[in-house]
């Protein structure tokens, strides 16, 4: 998942509005009539309501335009894709497609579709609807729709559009997607321009969920405005009429207050929703989320502060942990001296006491990272150079490097807490102390996370920085491919050997061969030391007692239809 | 600088000693007998002492790892660590001690800057009168209409995150206070008989202002300075609390320590208590001392 969620820009405003939302939601919950209203509306058996708090509002409820977790959480309930990930894992399972086959050259994919499914607006789901959606993404045009701030996931997976805008001539290439044909109502054939090992896995992303063609057209889903940096969505689709096939249907979005979803009584799938009304609110402040849970204003929340974990469990709340599917790292811009010197980079790697950092600042379950991808994912190598804490070695390397008075500008973000970095300032202070102990001079630099910090990072002006990544789907390409497949300003290095190896591994379609290729690449990367990965964490979610069935997912594919509520 | 201006400065210094001498002596005599003033003075002295010799008496360095902590287990006060450990395993006592210097530095520098600005404007307004006075005072009224801390936040945020911008922000807030105080004093002195006498014997206005009016107007400014130090320390802590302190988080600042403690209130309340007490201690010392100094210098309180 991309770290720069557009939602963060409204971070402060939402803090206050989230509180308002809570008081409103709480009033609703106390109303004895609420559970009854559901039964009169549809034939479903779902009852009751559940209020869940994230840290920000969705940006827009349309998978094609978002890359942040808060939008995706809501989108996952309303929409489905052709395939999905298993509950609690990363294996690919059928969703709207029941089965699929591919030709030997890997270019033609035939998807058999679920029969008898309708969208929430009663538009039938069929092969034409599937092709409509693929053609929609492929034909996004103009500098706003094609900017990385809007159609990010489409670009990372498909690489280009029907007509690439001149503004992105450098970054966009030939599209992986060529065409889609509805051979009959329940068969869609998708043709690619080249084989891709990540195509099917990537289709589990909410960015590629299938939306009702009727609603997309009627409510102007493709009307974008603003600019490439900060796109705006001018149609009402993503705010008032998101229409999918999922277990929950969109009811209303009181902007700045809450998003309300209602159980889809005609849901086709196996997991019928048992909670009638699902309400998402935004509470930006971590301690405020905890207080809201403790006072009963919400039923659960995401991004539990590690410091609160024990207290919440002792008080009878349920704490669930997502499998570690992220990495927190110290990034280097290897083009800025003295970090252009491999000995200096390795000195940093040896100087940082990762075990101490993890035990001090992370909840139980956090693992020391040795490379830029979690061990759960294939391609992880057990024979990379590990740079275990060794200050003497760091001092030796610094002496050998010939750099006198090594001085580093070290950046950390403020106003943010990420799963891989609950307290960036704390991490910063510990790492800084470690570096100073072996003879570095560290200049402290900080900036608010969004947009200043991330913008400076992408522009490559930060010499050394704290950052991390949460995986979107179960493929190493989504980790090391994202970081190192091309020359990027924030890393600042140009190592064609690494770039080419990653290109080859992505194009390879044999799974077993890929495992070996990625393991080798991980070793190459850690030999170069473009940064110091130090942690994989298990982010926690909290619920009040009586909420059951929630299945934490490494890729945040969490289905509220599985959740049951008892008072 | 012309020769006469230089002379005037030397004269001013001499005059201040002459005229203020007996007054200060009298004030000092009364302060020594006042237990509240002595308490306040002792608190101020201790604060300044700790700020100066802090690095030598702190058991640990500001970034030293003194013991092991986890997010849910941060040891409180013990015989080994009197104030407990902080969230990164550092000695809280050492950080509170080392934070004193930062507070004193910000307090004193912002006070001095504020005084210089305020006195300049106040003297200009009070001595020149007329449209200069009106212009300066209207601007000052406008600035005073904005709540002090809010104004300081605005200034500090505009200047960017650094210790210097905090000092400037607090100084800017103090400028109008001193300017108005001094101008008021000078206006009341201007009508005094001795001023008329000095003017009537043909002394130039500059000489009258610097040699006679200013020295007689300055004592409330000294009192205000002491009291302002207290608010400057609180303001500095407030700005640091709001994330507008220095850029290096490993330099201990009481306000920032207080802000960082928020995430650990349930498990490690000592992280909020000790920096909080330190701020209270320093501010209270200056307030007690300043209030009693005001009374000692004010003829109305003479017993």
């Amino acid at each position: 998942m991309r770290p720069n969620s557009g939602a963060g820009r409204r971070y402060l405003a939402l803090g206050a509005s989230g509180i308002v939302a809570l008081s409103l939601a709480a009033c609703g919950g106390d109303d004895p009539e609420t559970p009854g209203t559901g039964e009169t509306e549809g034939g479903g058996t779902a009852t009751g309501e559940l209020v869940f708090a994230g840290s920000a509002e969705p940006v827009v409820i349309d998978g094609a335009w978002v890359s942040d977790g808060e939008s995706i959480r809501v989108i996952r309930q309303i929409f489905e894709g052709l395939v999905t990930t298993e509950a609690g894992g990363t294996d690919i399972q059928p969703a709207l497609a029941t089965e699929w086959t591919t030709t030997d050259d890997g270019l033609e994919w035939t998807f058999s579709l679920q029969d008898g499914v309708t969208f929430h607006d009663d538009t039938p789901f069929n092969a034409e609807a599937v092709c409509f959606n693929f053609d929609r993404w492929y034909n996004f045009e103009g500098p706003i729709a094609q900017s990385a701030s809007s159609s990010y996931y489409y670009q990372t997976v498909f690489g280009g559009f029907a007509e690439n805008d001149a503004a992105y001539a450098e970054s966009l290439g030939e599209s992986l997607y060529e065409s889609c044909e509805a051979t009959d109502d329940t068969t869609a054939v998708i043709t690619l321009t080249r084989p891709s090992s990540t195509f099917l896995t990537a289709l589990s992303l909410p960015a590629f969920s299938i939306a009702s063609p009727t609603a997309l057209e009627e409510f102007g889903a493709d009307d974008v405005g603003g600019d490439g940096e900060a796109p705006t969505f001018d149609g009402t689709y993503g705010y008032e009429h998101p229409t999918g096939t999922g277990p929950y249907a969109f009811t209303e979005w009181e902007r700045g207050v809450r998003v309300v979803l209602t159980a889809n009584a005609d849901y086709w799938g196996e997991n019928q929703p048992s909670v009638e009304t699902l309400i998402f609110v935004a509470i930006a402040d971590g301690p405020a989320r905890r207080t809201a849970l403790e006072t009963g204003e919400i039923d659960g929340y995401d991004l539990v502060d590690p410091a609160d974990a024990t207290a919440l469990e002792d008080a009878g709340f349920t704490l669930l942990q997502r499998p570690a599917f992220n990495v927190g790292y110290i990034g280097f811009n290897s083009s800025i001296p003295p970090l252009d010197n491999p000995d200096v980079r390795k000195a940093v790697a040896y100087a940082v006491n990762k075990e101490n950092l993890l035990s001090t600042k992370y909840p139980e379950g956090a693992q020391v990272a040795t490379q830029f991808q979690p061990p759960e994912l294939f391609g992880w190598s057990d024979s990379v150079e590990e740079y275990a804490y060794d200050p003497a070695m760091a001092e030796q390397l610094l002496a050998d490097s010939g750099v006198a008075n090594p001085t580093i500008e070290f950046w950390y973000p403020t106003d943010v807490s990420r799963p891989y970095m609950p307290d960036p300032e704390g991490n910063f202070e510990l790492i800084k102390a470690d570096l100073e102990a072996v003879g570095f001079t560290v200049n402290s630099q900080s900036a608010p996370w969004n947009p200043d910090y991330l913008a400076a990072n992408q522009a490559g002006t930060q010499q050394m920085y704290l950052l991390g990544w949460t995986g979107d789907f179960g493929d190493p390409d989504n980790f090391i491919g994202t970081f190192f497949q091309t020359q990027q300003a924030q890393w600042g290095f140009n190592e064609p050997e690494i770039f080419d190896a990653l290109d080859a591994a992505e194009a390879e379609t044999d799974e077993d061969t890929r495992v070996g290729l990625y393991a080798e690449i991980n070793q190459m990367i850690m030999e170069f030391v473009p940064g110091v990965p130090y942690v994989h964490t298990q982010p926690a979610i909290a619920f009040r007692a009586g909420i059951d069935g929630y299945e934490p997912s490494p890729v945040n594919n969490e289905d509220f239809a599985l959740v049951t509520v008892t008072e | 600088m012309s020769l006469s201006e230089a002379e005037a400065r030397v004269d001013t210094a001499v005059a201040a000693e002459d005229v203020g001498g007996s007054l200060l002596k009298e004030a000092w005599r009364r302060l020594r007998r006042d237990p509240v003033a002595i308490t306040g003075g002792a608190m101020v002295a201790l604060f300044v002492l700790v700020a100066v010799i802090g690095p030598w008496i702190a058991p640990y360095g500001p970034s030293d790892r003194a013991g092991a902590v986890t997010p849910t287990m941060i040891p409180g006060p013990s015989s080994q660590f009197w104030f407990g450990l902080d969230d990164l395993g550092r000695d809280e006592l050492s950080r509170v001690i080392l934070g004193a210097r930062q507070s004193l530095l910000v307090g004193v520098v912002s006070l001095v800057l504020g005084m210089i600005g305020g006195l300049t404007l106040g003297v200009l307004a009070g001595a020149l009168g007329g449209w200069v006075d009106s212009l300066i005072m209207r601007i000052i009224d406008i600035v005073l209409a904005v709540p002090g801390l809010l104004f300081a936040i605005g200034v500090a945020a505009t200047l960017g995150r650094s210790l210097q911008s905090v000092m400037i922000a607090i100084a800017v807030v103090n400028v109008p206070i001193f300017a108005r105080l001094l101008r008021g004093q000078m206006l009341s002195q201007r009508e005094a008989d001795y001023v008329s006498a000095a003017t009537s014997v043909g002394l130039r206005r500059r000489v009258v202002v610097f040699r006679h009016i200013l020295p007689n107007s300055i004592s409330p400014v000294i009192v205000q300075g002491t009291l302002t130090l207290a608010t400057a320390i609180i303001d500095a802590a407030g700005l640091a609390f709001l994330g507008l302190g220095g850029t290096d988080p490993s330099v201990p600042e009481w306000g920032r320590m207080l802000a960082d403690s928020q995430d650990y209130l349930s498990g490690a309340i000592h992280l909020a208590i000790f920096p909080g007490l330190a701020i209270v201690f320093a501010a209270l010392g200056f307030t007690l001392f300043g209030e009693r100094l005001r009374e000692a210098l004010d003829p109305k309180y003479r017993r």
Side-chain angles (χ1 to χ4, degrees), chain A residues 342-360:
Chain A
D343 282 343
V344 177
R345 293 200 300 270
K346 285 178 186 172
V348 174
Y350 280 116
V352 177
N353 188 342
K354 301 175 197 168
E355 274 85 7
N356 176 47
L357 175 58
L358 263 59
S359 65
T360 304

Side-chain angles (χ1 to χ4, degrees), chain A residues 310 356 361 429 432 444 446, chain B residues 65 87 90 248 250 264:
Chain A
T310 313
N356 176 47
K361 294 278 26 159
E429 287 185 63
K432 176 173 182 269
S444 311
S446 65
Chain B
R65 183 166 173 261
D87 62 312
R90 301 174 298 200
D248 186 350
S250 51
Y264 305 95

Side-chain angles (χ1 to χ4, degrees), chain A residues 167-179:
Chain A
Y168 307 112
E170 301 264 311
S171 56
L172 295 174
E174 188 202 9
S175 169
L176 174 67
Y177 173 84
E178 186 174 294
S179 65

Side-chain angles (χ1 to χ4, degrees), chain A residues 130-131 133-136 138-139 154 158 160 174-181 190-194 199:
Chain A
V130 171
C131 289
N133 277 273
F134 274 89
D135 286 333
R136 175 196 176 210
Y138 179 58
N139 288 300
Y154 176 85
F158 291 94
E174 188 202 9
S175 169
L176 174 67
Y177 173 84
E178 186 174 294
S179 65
C180 174
E181 193 191 346
I190 293 172
T191 312
L192 304 181
T193 55
R194 55 183 179 270
F199 170 67

Side-chain angles (χ1 to χ4, degrees), chain A residues 459-517:
Chain A
T461 56
Q462 299 173 344
Q463 186 178 18
M464 188 165 123
Y465 50 89
L466 291 178
L467 209 60
W469 180 262
T470 299
D472 302 300
F473 53 90
D475 197 293
D477 185 56
N478 184 239
F479 277 87
I480 54 179
T482 310
F483 304 142
F484 306 123
Q485 200 157 353
T486 54
Q487 186 173 1
Q488 295 191 29
Q490 74 234 54
W491 300 105
F493 66 85
N494 185 7
E495 289 289 307
E497 203 190 343
I498 293 177
F499 303 156
D500 294 347
L502 281 162
D503 282 341
E506 190 194 351
E508 176 61 54
T509 48
D510 180 67
E511 282 297 310
D512 294 338
T513 316
R514 294 188 76 218
V515 174
L517 287 177

